[in-house]
């Protein structure tokens, strides 16, 4: 088979997606025809499969390396593997986890796509701006607004054409600009790549991330935050020293760990809670009681809300997933049984379960370290999460306390990245996506000690108790209380 192809149409860090799309376009092949030509055969008389697993653009498992190399005059499998390695080497563990670091759906730069180019950078989880043009990446078709899976031919009706029929670039240009070269403008990304070369001093360890759909965040990620520099002792923010007795094997696949994880989340929650009440909130205990118990004078409206009380009450309600003001405002969730995975703070149970699951996956590597290291890492991570959540509530407290801003359930906005070991220490780095600080004082309407004092005549107005009373005046009170809660609540 004679094909139309030029070696200069392939560029550093170019994805297999755009290389194969260009090959299909230049040779007027549908994706099924392309797979039939370059697909891997199980036998001489067996046609290549068009199954999704065989069209994976990360492993290229379904494509015949020899056939493809002959047509391209280039080893695409080696190209893909080498540039993926340069991209994720310093965050790679002892298993192949490329899929974890790449987005499931196609992300592209409009300017790159206009010249038929798509880069592995565009698919990298930590990038959402093109490093060549500094343009925000897009991830849906301009016409149908639907995502395109990062699979060969998936969601496409032809080369560079969305399944809705909309072309992703001006096809009349054909291959006139396919040889255009690209220069990385992001200096921190350049440093990141250099750090992943064979000559670079590598650090190794379990890469533990807290990510809330980072691919949807709008930011230029600073990769230098993720790099562990050679002068690590001066740069590391947190570290844990492991004595000789700390190096011992242990088994993560036992139920006793569930109790350990529960105890860690409970103790950290109690510690953070106590820290907040003794520092930022120590003058506002009566304000918290006034809001939490829905205290007001009989026949009068609810008093103004202290923003400190607002931040604390809704932080705790959201973290513990209480139905606002309908459930007793008590402590952390209790452990029912040591045979079930339970954390004391339900809001982050899925995230913490993810930590545990990732540790299980990497247990062969991780078993060389003490369980105390795992506990230390978990405590550091969730402590950041709990505090970050309070900072978010604090930032919106003045508006929220006035009822002019409804705060949705906030999520953590940072990545915790660790760890590497050096000199018997675990080095742990924290990377903030958005910085939350208690850098301003809020204005409490009860600005003196006498004003903050709760009147002995103030009564509680628990909605559940009012619901159980069937008297006319209590029904009116219930409607008033419910309207008041709805104005402040997480739930519309």
């Amino acid at each position: 088979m004679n094909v139309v192809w030029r070696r200069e149409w392939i560029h550093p860090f170019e994805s297999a997606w755009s290389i194969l799309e260009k090959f299909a376009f230049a040779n007027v092949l549908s994706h099924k025809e392309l797979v039939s030509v370059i697909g891997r055969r199980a036998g001489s008389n067996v046609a290549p499969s068009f199954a999704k697993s065989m069209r994976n653009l990360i492993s290229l498992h379904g494509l015949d390396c020899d056939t493809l190399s002959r047509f391209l005059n280039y080893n695409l499998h080696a190209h893909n593997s080498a540039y993926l390695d340069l991209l994720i080497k310093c965050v790679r563990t002892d298993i192949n986890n490329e899929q974890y670091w790449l987005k499931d759906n196609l992300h592209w730069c409009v300017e790159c796509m206009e010249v038929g180019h798509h880069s592995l950078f565009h698919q990298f989880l930590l990038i959402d701006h093109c490093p060549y043009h500094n343009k925000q990446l897009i991830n849906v078709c301009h016409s149908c607004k639907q995502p395109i899976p990062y699979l060969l031919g998936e969601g496409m009706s032809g080369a560079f054409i969305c399944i809705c029929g909309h072309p992703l670039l001006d096809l009349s240009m054909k291959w006139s600009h396919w040889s255009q070269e690209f220069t990385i403008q992001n200096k921190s990304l350049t440093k990141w790549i250099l750090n992943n070369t064979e000559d670079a001093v590598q650090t190794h360890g379990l890469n533990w991330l807290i990510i809330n759909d980072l691919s949807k965040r709008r930011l230029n990620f600073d990769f230098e935050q993720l790099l562990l520099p050679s002068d690590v002792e001066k740069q590391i923010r947190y570290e844990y020293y492991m004595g000789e007795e700390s190096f011992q094997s242990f088994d993560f696949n036992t139920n006793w760990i569930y109790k350990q994880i529960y105890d860690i989340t409970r103790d950290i929650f109690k510690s953070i809670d106590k820290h907040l009440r003794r520092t930022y909130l120590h003058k506002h205990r009566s304000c918290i009681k006034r809001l939490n118990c829905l205290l007001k004078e009989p026949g009068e409206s609810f008093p103004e809300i202290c923003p400190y009380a607002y931040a604390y009450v809704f932080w705790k309600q959201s973290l513990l997933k209480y139905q606002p003001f309908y459930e007793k405002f008590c402590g952390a969730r209790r452990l029912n049984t040591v045979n079930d995975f339970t954390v004391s703070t339900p809001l982050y149970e899925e995230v913490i379960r993810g930590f545990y699951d990732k540790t299980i996956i990497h247990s062969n590597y991780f078993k060389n370290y003490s369980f105390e290291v795992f506990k230390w890492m978990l405590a550091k991570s969730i402590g950041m999460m709990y505090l970050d959540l309070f900072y978010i509530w604090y930032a919106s407290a003045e508006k929220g306390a006035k009822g002019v801003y409804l705060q949705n359930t906030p999520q953590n906005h940072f990545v915790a990245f660790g760890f590497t070991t050096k000199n018997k220490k675990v080095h742990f780095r924290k990377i903030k996506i958005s910085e939350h600080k208690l850098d301003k004082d809020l204005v409490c309407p009860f600005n003196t000690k006498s004003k903050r004092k709760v009147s002995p005549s103030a009564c509680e107005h628990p909605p559940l108790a009012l619901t159980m009373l069937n008297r006319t005046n209590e029904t009116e009170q219930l409607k008033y209380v419910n309207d008041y809660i709805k104005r402040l609540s997480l739930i519309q």
Side-chain angles (χ1 to χ4, degrees):
M1 175 181 174
N2 294 321
V3 299
V4 177
W5 190 254
R6 295 177 184 173
R7 170 62 184 82
E8 58 266 26
W9 289 345
I10 301 177
H11 303 279
F13 289 98
E14 184 168 8
S15 73
W17 183 88
S18 64
I19 293 172
L20 293 173
E21 290 295 303
K22 286 189 286 193
F23 184 81
F25 180 80
N27 294 279
V28 198
L29 295 172
S30 69
H31 290 105
K32 284 191 176 181
E33 290 170 336
L34 177 62
V35 170
S36 71
V37 171
I38 63 173
R40 185 168 57 84
R41 288 169 167 77
S44 58
N45 297 321
V46 180
S49 171
F50 198 68
K52 288 184 179 180
S53 61
M54 304 300 284
R55 292 181 284 127
N56 187 301
L57 292 172
I58 300 172
S59 67
L60 301 183
H61 172 72
L63 305 182
D64 185 85
C65 182
D66 292 338
T67 303
L68 190 54
S69 297
R70 187 171 68 253
F71 286 142
L72 298 180
N73 192 27
Y74 184 76
N75 191 328
L76 182 59
H77 287 69
H79 167 102
N80 204 52
S81 176
Y83 285 113
L84 277 174
D85 201 46
L86 280 174
L87 194 57
I88 68 171
K89 186 173 183 178
C90 73
V91 291
R92 188 196 298 273
T93 57
D94 56 344
I95 64 170
N96 293 324
N97 60 344
E98 292 93 344
Q99 189 75 53
Y100 179 82
W101 289 97
L102 299 181
K103 304 161 189 170
D104 293 332
N105 293 324
L106 188 72
H107 286 61
W108 68 93
C109 164
V110 173
E111 290 194 31
C112 286
M113 189 63 76
E114 276 301 320
V115 292
H117 183 75
H118 175 261
S119 174
L120 287 170
F121 291 139
H122 301 154
Q123 290 303 117
F124 191 39
L125 184 65
L126 299 181
I127 293 178
D128 59 11
H129 282 70
C130 176
Y132 306 121
H133 303 103
N134 198 30
K135 299 287 186 181
Q136 184 176 304
L137 302 177
I138 60 175
N139 61 351
V140 294
C141 169
H142 179 73
S143 178
C144 66
K145 308 301 182 185
Q146 294 300 308
I148 300 172
Y150 189 62
L151 288 168
L152 177 60
E154 191 74 9
M156 307 288 286
S157 64
F160 294 113
I161 300 176
C162 176
I163 197 170
C164 72
H166 179 74
L168 302 183
L169 68 158
D170 182 1
L171 297 175
S172 66
M173 294 174 61
K174 295 189 176 181
W175 47 75
S176 57
H177 296 285
W178 287 3
S179 300
Q180 178 177 319
E181 296 183 355
F182 301 87
T183 303
I184 299 173
Q185 304 296 326
N186 188 318
K187 292 182 179 180
S188 69
L189 178 57
T190 301
K191 185 176 179 180
W192 169 271
I193 294 168
L194 289 174
N195 190 71
N196 285 336
T197 62
E198 292 183 2
D199 296 332
V201 177
Q202 295 297 319
T203 55
H204 302 282
L206 175 68
N207 303 295
W208 195 354
L209 299 179
I210 304 171
I211 294 181
N212 278 335
D213 208 358
L214 183 59
S215 61
K216 293 183 178 179
R217 304 287 309 166
R218 298 295 177 251
L219 68 145
N220 279 315
F221 197 86
D222 183 3
F223 288 90
E224 293 186 39
Q225 296 182 88
L226 284 173
L227 297 174
L228 287 171
S230 56
D231 191 13
V232 70
E233 299 297 332
K234 296 180 181 179
Q235 299 288 337
I236 295 302
R237 187 160 185 173
Y238 303 108
E239 61 185 21
Y240 177 87
Y241 178 73
M242 296 185 294
E244 294 290 343
E245 70 283 355
S246 295
F247 290 88
Q248 55 187 314
S249 297
F250 58 93
D251 185 7
F252 272 102
N253 294 287
T254 53
N255 288 341
W256 70 269
I257 283 190
Y258 292 165
K259 176 64 165 57
Q260 299 291 322
I261 292 174
Y262 172 81
D263 288 345
I264 295 168
T265 61
R266 180 201 59 197
D267 293 345
I268 295 299
F269 167 72
K270 291 171 66 176
S271 176
I272 297 293
D273 186 40
K274 183 183 293 186
H275 166 72
L276 293 174
R277 287 186 283 109
R278 288 185 174 181
T279 54
Y280 306 108
L281 307 170
H282 73 283
K283 293 183 179 180
H284 304 277
R285 294 177 183 177
S286 58
C287 300
I288 292 170
K289 181 180 179 180
R290 187 179 286 110
L291 174 60
N292 186 47
C293 298
L294 296 176
L295 294 172
K296 74 179 185 71
E297 298 290 338
E300 295 185 8
S301 301
F302 282 109
E304 290 185 74
I305 298 174
C306 167
Y308 289 94
Y310 176 91
Y312 176 75
V313 169
F314 279 97
W315 167 75
K316 199 167 184 178
Q317 285 183 351
S318 60
L319 190 57
L320 301 178
K321 283 196 171 181
Y322 289 147
Q323 186 178 3
F325 304 105
Y326 283 84
E327 297 182 57
K328 187 178 180 182
F329 196 60
C330 53
R333 179 172 62 177
R334 294 183 178 181
L335 176 66
N336 296 324
T337 171
V338 295
N339 296 320
D340 295 325
F341 186 93
T342 307
V343 301
S344 63
T345 51
L347 179 64
Y348 290 121
E349 183 162 44
E350 184 178 341
V351 176
I352 296 170
R353 179 73 202 216
F355 295 166
Y356 175 70
D357 289 343
K358 181 172 286 191
T359 304
I360 292 291
I361 292 172
H362 298 85
S363 59
N364 287 335
Y365 170 82
F366 201 84
K367 68 182 180 182
N368 295 321
Y369 306 105
S370 167
F371 182 68
E372 294 301 315
V373 176
F374 171 79
K375 290 171 63 176
W376 177 83
M377 289 177 62
L378 183 59
K380 281 290 182 186
S381 299
I382 62 178
M384 294 177 199
M385 292 163 61
Y386 296 167
L387 276 175
D388 197 74
L389 183 65
F390 180 76
Y391 296 160
I392 295 172
W393 281 110
Y394 189 94
S396 63
E398 288 188 334
K399 292 182 178 179
K402 296 176 181 178
V404 297
Y405 176 75
L406 182 68
Q407 171 74 55
N408 294 319
T409 305
Q411 299 293 325
N412 54 302
H413 291 284
F414 64 86
V415 178
F417 179 87
F419 66 93
T420 184
T421 56
K422 181 179 179 181
N423 302 329
K424 296 183 181 179
K425 293 180 180 180
V426 174
H427 302 293
F428 182 92
R429 288 179 69 83
K430 178 178 68 173
I431 295 90
K432 281 279 186 179
I433 299 306
S434 60
E435 197 70 35
H436 297 291
K437 296 180 180 179
L438 306 185
D439 55 358
K440 66 173 183 177
D441 293 330
L442 304 178
V443 179
C444 175
F446 311 100
N447 53 11
T448 64
K449 188 175 182 179
S450 60
K451 287 184 178 180
R452 283 195 290 270
K453 187 176 181 181
V454 177
S455 171
S457 59
C459 301
E460 295 185 16
H461 290 75
L464 190 59
L466 294 175
T467 302
M468 297 174 67
L469 297 174
N470 205 17
R471 296 191 294 268
T472 302
N473 62 323
E474 298 297 348
T475 302
E476 293 176 355
Q477 279 280 9
L478 176 61
K479 184 178 183 306
Y480 172 69
V481 170
N482 281 335
D483 289 344
Y484 178 76
I485 291 173
K486 184 177 180 181
R487 181 168 60 92
L488 299 172
S489 175
L490 299 170
I491 305 171
Q492 285 278 24

